[in-house]
Amino acid sequence: MRQNLAAAAAILAVIAVVMLAALLAGSGTLLYAAEGNTSTSDHTDPSSIAVMTTEEAETILPLMEDIIGLSYDSVYQISIDDPEYAARYLAAYENSVSRLGTNIVKISLTKTDINTYKKEASSLDTSIQIILNDVVRLEEIDELKKQYAAEGNILGSFSLEAESLLIRNELALTAMNYADSADIMAQIAAYYGLDVSQLQDSVLLINQIITDATSGKITITTDSSGKLIIKDTSGSSINTDTSGLITLTVYPVKGYYGDKILVSGIASNTGSILSIYWDTNLWGTVAKDTEGVFAKSMTIGRISEGIHAVTVQSEGITSKPVYITILSKPSVVTILKDEQENGELHRKLTLYGSLRTEDDIPVVGAPVTVYSEDHINIGTGITNANGIWNVSAELIDGGYAFYAVFDDPSFPLEGNTSELYPVTILNPTIYYIILAIIGGVLIILIVRFAVRRKPSQKQTGKAGIIPQQIIASEPAIIKVIKEIFKNEKDADDLDELRRIYTTTVVFLASVERIQNIAVLTPREILKGITVSTEYIRDFMSTYEYLHYANVIVTREQMKRMETLSKLIIEGYNET
């Protein structure tokens, strides 16, 4: 018996030391994943995490096909002047693009033509949204023009005409961007055997929509090679300065995120403050001097990749547009550190990271989304002036790994995914329990070592007193250790815990009429309960901790779960 106890104590000491070392290190192989509680050697190699599965691979082509159909549906609704239904189809389109992007990450297709298809689909989404907004705004402007004419509001009429000019310029550029994205998408989709006729038809619909929305001031046709021909039929070319009162120079006309562009010129018979626009978006303001000269350095920020029109406007007078080309550059997203604190139900984890360009320029105001290694969305953070973002979530104890994704086409930056960042979440009190176990085990080992080296009974003198004192204290120590083992449960207790949980949940499901409880998590079942009492919340959160955290269930915890179960059932029976 003593030999068995010593062997058990030695084994326990080794296990405890290994557990403590792993916890203190905080960056080794994960204990288990965010979902599924699995641990594999692949956790140490981020590049091997994404493995193609049949289910995910089979969704790629159907999603690509859905995107083609929904793009046509969205454009068609705009063409029949139904912006409400156009917005609904566009929301469905965006959802399909998002799902495609998620599966592309899951099965490691980020460096393939399918990811290019997804990128162009995002650009197509932006174009449709711009056209929808501009068409609606032009209709509003037409009504306001009639009102201002009746009121004799000349300044207001000038402002409306200037805004109309900006919108017409933007629509012309958007038509080109839409056609370019649709052409790339059609080539890729055709390669995979998909029908691209609706995508091609949507380009023709877009051209007609813009012609109708501008009352024929802009016409868009295609030549024999399929190239777009855009004409301003209002009596002047799109590139003609109709006011002649603001001259504009922009240098350089190409740039990347973070680059400076000088906007300068001369304005006469205008207000002292001029507004600078890219397309229809206000970029900034600038004051002219007494000679009418103005100049301001503008920074390329959240402007999508492609061609954009820069104009200067004041009191209804608009300059001739100057076209600039915004180029894309790689981005770098990184998870830097994590912090943990007690949350409402579990430990609150906060991840901090950065988003920068490849030449180390911080990206400002950009969304970064964090996922668990099994691709569950944890949350999205927005970068600050230093390119720093953070995302928080409450999680049960265990080992996790996360990665961050930046993929926003409104920035002239290529999407990027961070490396996996491992995190171990553990309540600090568990550290003390482990340390106490280690201390107790070490005492036992020291005592047994001393007992084995005690002097022979034949020896005389005071030398024999110390071993006798140690021997006298041994039963008490062993009694304490035995009590620890006595309070801990083995694997059979997990079955008892599941029995208590199943009995309670089945009862709640029958009362609350909750369906499919076999596939629902404790949190999902809790959401389906109409009146959640403190007993129910305590029961669910305690079970979630005991079941998923992979801890030993003590006798006191089991009794508490039984008590809570009885209180829940009795509470419903009383009502």
Side-chain angles (χ1 to χ4, degrees):
M1 180 67 182
R2 290 183 179 179
Q3 291 178 348
N4 293 337
L5 183 59
I11 294 172
L12 182 60
V14 173
I15 294 174
V17 170
V18 171
M19 287 178 62
L20 183 62
L23 292 171
L24 293 177
S27 60
T29 301
L30 300 179
L31 299 180
Y32 58 87
E35 295 289 333
N37 298 345
T38 58
S39 178
T40 70
S41 58
D42 290 339
H43 287 198
T44 59
D45 183 6
S47 64
S48 62
I49 292 297
V51 178
M52 181 176 293
T53 67
T54 302
E55 178 183 357
E56 290 153 351
E58 289 179 348
T59 64
I60 296 298
L61 293 183
L63 282 172
M64 292 171 65
E65 193 170 29
D66 286 345
I67 288 169
I68 292 173
L70 289 169
S71 66
Y72 178 84
D73 292 337
S74 302
V75 172
Y76 177 75
Q77 295 301 322
I78 299 175
S79 71
I80 62 174
D81 198 21
D82 193 341
E84 181 180 349
Y85 270 88
R88 292 183 183 181
Y89 279 112
L90 190 58
Y93 176 92
E94 291 168 350
N95 180 60
S96 293
V97 174
S98 176
R99 289 172 57 199
L100 178 63
T102 299
N103 285 352
I104 285 172
V105 173
K106 282 184 179 181
I107 58 181
S108 295
L109 298 177
T110 54
K111 296 182 179 180
T112 67
D113 56 353
I114 293 179
N115 192 47
T116 302
Y117 181 94
K118 183 264 175 186
K119 180 180 177 181
E120 295 301 330
S122 297
S123 298
L124 206 71
D125 172 34
T126 302
S127 297
I128 297 174
Q129 189 66 63
I130 290 173
I131 292 169
L132 174 60
N133 294 338
D134 285 354
V135 168
V136 171
R137 181 55 183 165
L138 284 175
E139 292 177 354
E140 295 172 350
I141 288 175
D142 285 341
E143 294 300 318
L144 287 173
K145 282 181 178 180
K146 297 175 184 178
Q147 176 184 333
Y148 288 173
E151 297 172 350
N153 187 346
I154 298 175
L155 183 59
S157 298
F158 283 162
S159 296
L160 290 176
E161 187 57 40
E163 184 180 355
S164 297
L165 178 59
L166 290 178
I167 292 176
R168 291 199 297 270
N169 290 334
E170 182 175 60
L171 285 172
L173 287 174
T174 304
M176 290 189 293
N177 291 335
Y178 187 96
D180 290 342
S181 294
D183 181 55
I184 296 173
M185 291 172 62
Q187 292 181 41
I188 296 172
Y191 176 80
Y192 290 100
L194 301 180
D195 182 4
V196 298
S197 58
Q198 284 189 311
L199 195 59
Q200 295 167 338
D201 291 344
S202 69
V203 175
L204 300 178
L205 270 179
I206 287 290
N207 298 344
Q208 188 60 48
I209 289 169
I210 294 175
T211 299
D212 294 342
T214 59
S215 302
K217 291 184 175 65
I218 293 179
T219 60
I220 304 175
T221 58
T222 56
D223 59 17
S224 57
S225 64
K227 182 179 179 181
L228 288 185
I229 300 175
I230 302 175
K231 292 182 180 180
D232 184 347
T233 58
S234 61
S236 61
S237 168
I238 290 179
N239 294 327
T240 299
D241 182 1
T242 58
S243 68
L245 296 176
I246 300 178
T247 59
L248 175 63
T249 301
V250 178
Y251 182 82
V253 293
K254 290 185 179 181
Y256 296 89
Y257 182 90
D259 288 352
K260 302 289 185 180
I261 290 182
L262 179 63
V263 177
S264 61
I266 301 175
S268 59
N269 299 324
T270 67
S272 59
I273 302 298
L274 298 92
S275 299
I276 304 172
Y277 289 85
W278 63 269
D279 297 340
T280 58
N281 303 281
L282 181 63
W283 202 354
T285 58
V286 61
K288 68 177 184 178
D289 62 17
T290 55
E291 301 296 326
V293 177
F294 63 90
K296 187 167 185 178
S297 179
M298 309 302 297
T299 302
I300 298 176
R302 191 169 191 167
I303 306 177
S304 61
E305 177 187 7
I307 300 174
H308 299 275
V310 178
T311 55
V312 174
Q313 187 182 119
S314 176
E315 297 181 351
I317 300 172
T318 305
S319 71
K320 177 180 71 173
V322 175
Y323 295 100
I324 61 173
T325 301
I326 305 299
L327 304 172
S328 179
K329 67 165 64 173
S331 64
V332 179
V333 60
T334 308
I335 299 178
L336 300 174
K337 65 174 184 176
D338 66 277
E339 292 181 355
Q340 299 181 32
E341 59 183 342
N342 290 326
E344 294 182 4
L345 295 176
H346 305 290
R347 293 286 287 173
K348 180 180 179 181
L349 171 70
T350 301
L351 295 173
Y352 295 88
S354 69
L355 175 63
R356 310 178 81 86
T357 64
E358 66 173 353
D359 46 354
D360 208 33
I361 298 174
V363 180
V364 182
V368 176
T369 302
V370 174
Y371 297 87
S372 64
E373 66 175 326
D374 44 0
H375 315 297
I376 295 175
N377 188 321
I378 303 300
T380 299
I382 305 298
T383 57
N384 61 18
N386 297 316
I388 302 298
W389 54 267
N390 68 82
V391 170
S392 298
E394 287 193 19
L395 301 168
I396 62 174
D397 292 0
Y400 300 84
F402 304 97
Y403 64 93
V405 176
F406 167 74
D407 186 17
D408 189 334
S410 64
F411 287 82
L413 298 168
E414 298 173 11
N416 186 260
T417 301
S418 74
E419 294 183 355
L420 276 177
Y421 182 88
V423 177
T424 298
I425 297 179
L426 186 65
N427 194 312
T429 56
I430 297 181
Y431 280 103
Y432 302 122
I433 295 174
I434 294 175
L435 289 174
I437 294 174
I438 293 175
V441 172
L442 290 176
I443 291 174
I444 293 177
L445 295 177
I446 292 172
V447 169
R448 296 203 62 80
F449 178 78
V451 169
R452 289 176 180 176
R453 294 180 60 86
K454 67 181 180 179
S456 172
Q457 295 292 337
K458 296 180 180 180
Q459 292 180 347
T460 59
K462 296 182 180 181
I465 295 177
I466 295 178
Q468 293 297 329
Q469 290 175 340
I470 296 176
I471 293 172
S473 63
E474 182 179 1
I477 296 173
I478 294 176
K479 184 178 180 180
V480 172
I481 300 301
K482 285 182 177 180
E483 188 64 23
I484 293 174
F485 282 109
K486 182 179 179 181
N487 289 333
E488 292 180 348
K489 291 294 183 179
D490 57 17
D492 292 337
D493 289 329
L494 293 177
D495 294 333
E496 178 65 12
L497 179 65
R498 294 190 190 98
R499 184 193 65 76
I500 297 172
Y501 173 77
T502 302
T503 301
T504 309
V505 168
V506 169
F507 172 81
L508 289 173
S510 64
V511 175
E512 296 289 348
R513 297 181 179 179
I514 302 174
Q515 302 294 325
N516 301 321
I517 61 172
V519 298
L520 297 179
T521 64
R523 291 192 186 185
E524 292 172 334
I525 294 174
L526 188 59
K527 290 180 180 178
I529 298 174
T530 54
V531 180
S532 177
T533 66
E534 182 178 354
Y535 295 137
I536 296 175
R537 291 192 297 272
D538 193 3
F539 180 88
M540 292 296 188
S541 62
T542 302
Y543 175 78
E544 191 177 42
Y545 168 75
L546 296 176
H547 180 70
Y548 292 109
N550 198 23
V551 298
I552 296 175
V553 184
T554 64
R555 185 170 300 172
E556 288 74 18
Q557 289 170 328
M558 191 71 75
K559 288 181 179 179
R560 176 170 176 75
M561 290 295 289
E562 290 177 342
T563 302
L564 288 172
S565 177
K566 291 178 181 178
L567 290 172
I568 292 169
I569 296 174
E570 290 173 359
Y572 270 87
N573 291 333
E574 290 176 0
T575 58

